[in-house]
Amino acid sequence: QVQLVESGGGLVQAGGSLRLSCAASGRTVSTYVVGWFRQAPGKEREFAGVITRSGGTTYYADSVKGRFTISRDNAKNTVYLQRNSLKPEDTAVYYCAANLAYFGGDARRYEYWGQGTQVTVSS
């Protein structure tokens, strides 16, 4: 099975940008569809976007479309989430998750999860 570790979180001002990384170990990340989710304080976990195994196709939630970009470097066993034009409402813990075939936003369909990385956007 694969282990996932997110990094790159921190404090950023509104309007700024931040790139999160999701590093895989145990198995090659190219085996998996990888999604990004986020959970704000007091709210349920929310789907942000997902990328296919090859990286050829991505899909985003409406709330982040046009501002977030998911990419992957299978040679580095890493998936990225580039976030631009950040807003205070983007403050959340961000998680990457993996599964073998499902390409969508249902968190229950993802088998493997990272521990999350906190992102705080100040106004």
Side-chain angles (χ1 to χ4, degrees):
Q1 61 184 28
V2 66
Q3 290 81 45
L4 305 173
V5 177
E6 302 93 338
S7 62
L11 176 65
V12 62
Q13 289 189 330
S17 300
L18 204 61
R19 188 177 79 163
L20 304 182
S21 299
C22 173
S25 62
R27 291 190 68 176
T28 56
V29 75
S30 60
T31 304
Y32 300 93
V33 175
V34 176
W36 283 93
F37 295 78
R38 62 184 183 178
Q39 187 165 18
K43 295 187 177 181
E44 293 188 355
R45 193 167 296 187
E46 174 190 27
F47 168 74
V50 59
I51 189 167
T52 54
R53 287 187 291 258
S54 68
T57 302
T58 53
Y59 170 70
Y60 300 95
D62 288 341
S63 59
V64 306
K65 196 175 296 182
R67 298 189 300 119
F68 289 12
T69 302
I70 300 174
S71 61
R72 64 194 301 161
D73 186 338
N74 287 337
K76 294 183 177 180
N77 235 21
T78 302
V79 177
Y80 303 99
L81 177 64
Q82 176 69 41
R83 296 148 340 107
N84 302 323
S85 303
L86 286 165
K87 306 174 182 179
E89 51 263 43
D90 293 320
T91 295
V93 177
Y94 283 74
Y95 300 88
C96 63
N99 75 88
L100 290 174
Y102 172 68
F103 181 73
D106 186 347
R108 298 168 298 180
R109 302 285 297 272
Y110 287 79
E111 297 178 75
Y112 307 104
W113 290 81
Q115 82 291 347
T117 185
Q118 175 71 48
V119 174
T120 302
V121 183
S122 63
S123 58

